[in-house]
Amino acid sequence: MDLGLKNKTIAIGGVTSGLGRAIAEALLAEGTRVIGIARGQEKLDEMAGEHPDRFVPYAADLTDATAVKNLGLYLINQKIDGMVLNAGGPPTGRVEELKMKDWDRAWESTLRWKVQLTMALLPLLKKKDGRLLYLESVSIKQPIDNLVLSNAMRAAVAGFVKTLSREVGESGLTANILAPGYHATPRITSVLEKSAEIQQLPLQEVEKQFAEETSVKRLGDPADFAAMAVFLLSPASGYITGQTITVDGGLVRHITG
């Protein structure tokens, strides 16, 4: 099936590892031009070397407001067709372990930059039937133990995205959230390590516990997640907006998924 993504330009945050990288690889396979954003120049250059014709590296710290402003101007000049708003999540922790400075940092790393960049890109993407895709977490629908910062901040992103989708839908721009469950990425490793510390269990035992919480009894493959992302970034998804779609192997127990 041709998803109509050949020669489109999609920007992706957190592109050098985990789910961001999986989405980039899937889009490149579709013939899409990818602008890859991450902090580390070295890994970006490696990806550019593998795909010299269609991967454009851009190094930026998405928690820095000036860097986000400059990124927005750059992406507008590149006339992008859509963006995957993705970056590393806030640290693990329980309510009584965290300080207010942790909450301030979580706001900056999980919500603030997404609002700032979205507002910068809206004038362009509203004219292009653009696509905004936010990578968050199943914690929006079902809080995850030891992740209070993520549970709270990602719920705020969901409120923002739903409101945005209502306000701009008539333009043809769609805004959706993809909410991953337990995928085999560096991020889930930190969650597993925190749980293993609390339970005083070996890491492999905790990983087995997490897998058993899903219907399919395994951690997810980032490539499976990327397949849904590619569809939501394509012209074929034009009647889907304002949704939080879980890709979680049946982890979430709520009847609406």
Side-chain angles (χ1 to χ4, degrees):
M1 177 180 178
D2 183 0
L3 292 173
L5 283 163
K6 189 173 183 180
N7 298 322
K8 297 279 190 182
T9 300
I10 303 292
I12 304 175
V15 77
T16 55
S17 68
L19 300 176
R21 181 155 192 154
I23 294 170
E25 291 172 350
L27 285 171
L28 289 164
E30 291 287 328
T32 309
R33 179 172 175 260
V34 172
I35 298 176
I37 303 151
R39 292 187 186 190
Q41 188 68 55
E42 185 176 349
K43 289 186 178 180
L44 285 169
D45 289 343
E46 288 176 7
M47 292 183 72
E50 295 168 3
H51 305 278
D53 297 329
R54 284 183 288 110
F55 183 88
V56 181
Y58 189 100
D61 178 357
L62 294 176
T63 64
D64 182 291
T66 300
V68 173
K69 179 181 178 180
N70 292 336
L71 173 61
L73 293 172
Y74 175 78
L75 295 178
I76 290 169
N77 289 332
Q78 292 293 313
K79 297 180 171 57
I80 64 169
D81 298 285
M83 176 157 192
V84 179
L85 290 95
N86 172 53
T92 60
R94 298 159 68 90
V95 172
E96 293 180 303
E97 293 176 337
L98 299 166
K99 308 299 182 185
M100 286 310 303
K101 64 181 181 181
D102 298 313
W103 286 93
D104 292 338
R105 290 170 185 161
W107 142 252
E108 292 177 348
S109 67
T110 311
L111 177 58
R112 188 193 189 284
W113 74 267
K114 294 170 187 170
V115 176
Q116 182 186 359
L117 190 54
T118 297
M119 291 172 66
L121 296 177
L122 282 181
L124 169 67
L125 295 179
K126 285 169 66 176
K127 295 176 182 177
K128 302 190 73 174
D129 292 347
R131 299 287 180 263
L132 287 169
L133 185 60
Y134 301 76
L135 266 56
E136 301 303 329
S137 168
V138 294
S139 63
I140 290 173
K141 296 188 177 183
Q142 178 173 294
I144 299 173
D145 291 344
N146 310 313
L147 278 179
V148 64
L149 295 175
S150 177
N151 296 342
M153 293 298 170
R154 295 192 192 280
V157 176
F160 169 69
V161 174
K162 189 67 171 182
T163 305
L164 173 68
S165 72
R166 296 287 299 170
E167 293 181 358
V168 303
E170 191 174 0
S171 71
L173 167 63
T174 68
N176 290 292
I177 292 172
L178 265 187
Y182 303 148
H183 287 75
T185 65
R187 172 61 174 169
I188 195 60
T189 299
S190 66
V191 176
L192 293 171
E193 288 173 345
K194 180 65 175 179
S195 183
E197 174 189 334
I198 291 171
Q199 298 185 70
Q200 297 186 328
L201 289 173
L203 188 62
Q204 290 145 328
E205 182 62 29
V206 173
E207 182 175 329
K208 183 179 178 182
Q209 288 178 1
F210 275 52
E212 285 295 317
E213 289 184 43
T214 71
S215 299
V216 298
K217 308 304 180 188
R218 63 177 176 85
L219 300 186
D221 185 331
D224 296 332
F225 184 88
M228 178 60 80
V230 168
F231 172 73
L232 291 173
L233 292 164
S234 77
S237 68
Y239 205 57
I240 302 173
T241 193
Q243 302 303 304
T244 296
I245 300 170
T246 52
V247 183
D248 65 353
L251 171 65
V252 172
R253 288 346 189 233
H254 196 284
I255 60 172
T256 62

Coordinates of all heavy atoms in Angstrom, one line a residue, residues 134-171:
Y134 N 2.5 13.3 18.6 CA 3.2 13.4 19.9 C 3.4 12.1 20.5 O 2.4 11.3 20.6 CB 2.3 14.3 20.8 CG 2.0 15.7 20.3 CD1 1.1 15.9 19.3 CD2 2.7 16.8 20.8 CE1 0.8 17.1 18.8 CE2 2.4 18.1 20.3 CZ 1.5 18.2 19.3 OH 1.2 19.5 18.8
L135 N 4.6 11.7 20.8 CA 4.9 10.4 21.4 C 4.9 10.6 22.9 O 5.8 11.3 23.5 CB 6.3 9.9 20.9 CG 6.3 9.0 19.7 CD1 5.5 9.6 18.5 CD2 7.7 8.6 19.3
E136 N 4.0 9.9 23.6 CA 3.8 10.1 25.0 C 3.9 8.8 25.7 O 5.0 8.1 25.6 CB 2.5 10.8 25.3 CG 2.4 12.2 24.7 CD 3.5 13.2 25.0 OE1 4.1 13.1 26.2 OE2 3.9 14.0 24.2
S137 N 2.9 8.3 26.4 CA 3.0 7.0 27.2 C 1.6 6.6 27.5 O 0.6 7.4 27.6 CB 3.8 7.3 28.4 OG 3.6 6.2 29.3
V138 N 1.5 5.3 27.7 CA 0.2 4.7 28.2 C -0.2 5.3 29.6 O -1.3 5.1 30.0 CB 0.2 3.2 28.3 CG1 0.3 2.6 26.9 CG2 1.3 2.7 29.2
S139 N 0.7 6.0 30.2 CA 0.4 6.6 31.5 C -0.7 7.6 31.4 O -1.3 8.0 32.4 CB 1.7 7.2 32.1 OG 2.2 8.2 31.3
I140 N -0.9 8.1 30.2 CA -2.1 9.0 30.0 C -3.4 8.3 30.3 O -4.3 8.9 30.9 CB -2.1 9.5 28.5 CG1 -0.9 10.4 28.2 CG2 -3.4 10.2 28.2 CD1 -0.8 10.8 26.8
K141 N -3.5 7.0 30.0 CA -4.7 6.3 30.3 C -4.6 5.4 31.5 O -5.7 5.1 32.1 CB -5.0 5.4 29.0 CG -5.3 6.2 27.8 CD -5.7 5.3 26.7 CE -6.1 6.1 25.4 NZ -6.6 5.2 24.3
Q142 N -3.5 5.0 31.9 CA -3.3 4.1 33.1 C -2.0 4.4 33.7 O -0.9 4.1 33.2 CB -3.3 2.7 32.6 CG -3.1 1.6 33.7 CD -3.4 0.2 33.2 OE1 -4.5 -0.1 32.8 NE2 -2.3 -0.6 33.1
P143 N -2.0 5.2 34.8 CA -0.7 5.6 35.5 C 0.2 4.4 35.7 O -0.2 3.3 36.1 CB -1.2 6.2 36.8 CG -2.5 6.7 36.5 CD -3.1 5.7 35.6
I144 N 1.5 4.7 35.6 CA 2.5 3.7 35.8 C 3.2 3.9 37.1 O 3.6 5.1 37.4 CB 3.6 3.7 34.6 CG1 2.9 3.4 33.3 CG2 4.7 2.7 34.9 CD1 3.8 3.6 32.1
D145 N 3.4 2.9 37.9 CA 4.1 3.0 39.2 C 5.5 3.6 39.0 O 6.2 3.3 38.1 CB 4.2 1.6 39.9 CG 2.8 1.1 40.3 OD1 1.8 1.9 40.4 OD2 2.7 -0.1 40.6
N146 N 5.8 4.4 40.0 CA 7.2 5.0 40.1 C 7.4 6.0 39.0 O 8.6 6.4 38.7 CB 8.3 3.9 40.1 CG 8.0 2.9 41.1 OD1 7.7 3.1 42.2 ND2 8.1 1.6 40.6
L147 N 6.4 6.5 38.3 CA 6.6 7.5 37.2 C 5.6 8.7 37.4 O 4.9 9.1 36.4 CB 6.3 6.8 35.9 CG 7.5 6.0 35.2 CD1 7.1 5.4 33.9 CD2 8.7 7.0 35.0
V148 N 5.6 9.3 38.5 CA 4.6 10.3 38.8 C 4.8 11.5 37.9 O 3.8 12.1 37.4 CB 4.5 10.7 40.3 CG1 5.9 11.4 40.7 CG2 3.4 11.7 40.5
L149 N 6.0 11.9 37.6 CA 6.2 13.0 36.7 C 5.7 12.8 35.3 O 5.0 13.6 34.7 CB 7.7 13.3 36.6 CG 8.4 13.8 37.9 CD1 9.9 14.0 37.7 CD2 7.8 15.1 38.4
S150 N 5.9 11.6 34.8 CA 5.4 11.3 33.5 C 3.9 11.2 33.5 O 3.2 11.7 32.6 CB 6.0 9.9 33.0 OG 5.4 9.5 31.8
N151 N 3.3 10.5 34.5 CA 1.9 10.4 34.6 C 1.2 11.8 34.6 O 0.2 11.9 33.9 CB 1.5 9.7 35.9 CG 2.0 8.3 36.0 OD1 2.4 7.6 35.0 ND2 2.1 7.7 37.2
A152 N 1.7 12.7 35.3 CA 1.1 14.0 35.4 C 1.3 14.9 34.1 O 0.4 15.5 33.6 CB 1.6 14.8 36.6
M153 N 2.6 15.0 33.7 CA 2.9 15.9 32.5 C 2.3 15.4 31.2 O 1.9 16.1 30.4 CB 4.4 16.0 32.5 CG 5.0 16.8 33.6 SD 4.3 18.5 33.7 CE 5.0 19.0 35.3
R154 N 2.3 14.0 31.0 CA 1.8 13.5 29.8 C 0.3 13.7 29.7 O -0.3 13.9 28.6 CB 2.3 12.1 29.6 CG 3.8 12.0 29.4 CD 4.2 10.6 28.9 NE 5.6 10.4 29.0 CZ 6.6 10.8 28.2 NH1 6.2 11.6 27.2 NH2 7.9 10.6 28.4
A155 N -0.4 13.6 30.8 CA -1.8 13.9 30.8 C -2.0 15.4 30.4 O -3.0 15.6 29.7 CB -2.4 13.7 32.2
A156 N -1.2 16.3 30.8 CA -1.3 17.7 30.4 C -1.1 17.8 28.9 O -1.8 18.6 28.2 CB -0.3 18.5 31.1
V157 N -0.2 17.0 28.3 CA 0.0 17.0 26.8 C -1.3 16.6 26.1 O -1.7 17.1 25.1 CB 1.2 16.2 26.4 CG1 1.3 16.1 24.9 CG2 2.5 16.7 27.0
A158 N -1.9 15.5 26.7 CA -3.1 15.0 26.1 C -4.2 16.1 26.1 O -5.0 16.3 25.1 CB -3.6 13.8 26.9
G159 N -4.3 16.9 27.2 CA -5.3 18.0 27.2 C -5.0 19.0 26.1 O -5.9 19.6 25.5
F160 N -3.7 19.3 26.0 CA -3.3 20.3 25.0 C -3.6 19.8 23.6 O -4.2 20.6 22.7 CB -1.8 20.6 25.1 CG -1.2 21.4 24.0 CD1 -1.5 22.7 23.8 CD2 -0.3 20.8 23.1 CE1 -1.0 23.5 22.8 CE2 0.2 21.5 22.1 CZ -0.1 22.9 21.9
V161 N -3.3 18.6 23.3 CA -3.4 18.1 21.9 C -4.9 17.9 21.5 O -5.3 18.2 20.4 CB -2.7 16.7 21.8 CG1 -3.0 16.1 20.4 CG2 -1.2 16.9 21.9
K162 N -5.7 17.5 22.5 CA -7.2 17.4 22.2 C -7.8 18.7 21.9 O -8.5 18.9 20.9 CB -7.9 16.7 23.4 CG -9.3 16.4 23.1 CD -9.4 15.2 22.1 CE -10.9 14.7 22.0 NZ -11.0 13.6 21.1
T163 N -7.4 19.7 22.7 CA -7.9 21.1 22.4 C -7.4 21.6 21.1 O -8.2 22.2 20.3 CB -7.5 22.0 23.6 OG1 -7.9 21.5 24.8 CG2 -8.0 23.4 23.4
L164 N -6.2 21.4 20.8 CA -5.6 21.8 19.5 C -6.3 21.2 18.4 O -6.7 21.9 17.4 CB -4.1 21.5 19.5 CG -3.4 21.7 18.2 CD1 -3.3 23.2 17.9 CD2 -2.0 21.1 18.2
S165 N -6.6 19.9 18.4 CA -7.2 19.2 17.3 C -8.6 19.8 17.0 O -9.1 19.9 15.9 CB -7.3 17.7 17.6 OG -8.3 17.5 18.6
R166 N -9.3 20.2 18.1 CA -10.6 20.8 17.9 C -10.5 22.2 17.3 O -11.4 22.6 16.5 CB -11.3 21.0 19.3 CG -11.6 19.7 20.0 CD -12.8 18.9 19.4 NE -14.0 19.7 19.4 CZ -15.1 19.4 18.8 NH1 -15.2 18.3 18.0 NH2 -16.2 20.2 18.9
E167 N -9.5 22.9 17.6 CA -9.4 24.3 17.1 C -8.9 24.4 15.7 O -9.2 25.4 15.0 CB -8.5 25.1 18.1 CG -9.0 25.3 19.5 CD -8.1 26.1 20.4 OE1 -7.0 26.5 20.0 OE2 -8.5 26.3 21.6
V168 N -8.1 23.4 15.3 CA -7.5 23.6 13.9 C -8.0 22.5 12.9 O -7.5 22.5 11.8 CB -5.9 23.5 14.0 CG1 -5.4 24.5 15.0 CG2 -5.5 22.1 14.4
G169 N -8.9 21.7 13.4 CA -9.3 20.5 12.5 C -9.8 20.9 11.1 O -9.5 20.2 10.1
E170 N -10.5 22.0 11.1 CA -11.1 22.4 9.8 C -10.0 22.7 8.7 O -10.3 22.7 7.5 CB -12.0 23.7 10.0 CG -12.9 24.0 8.8 CD -13.8 25.1 9.1 OE1 -13.8 25.6 10.3 OE2 -14.6 25.5 8.2
S171 N -8.8 23.0 9.2 CA -7.8 23.4 8.2 C -7.2 22.2 7.5 O -6.5 22.3 6.5 CB -6.6 24.1 9.0 OG -5.9 23.1 9.8

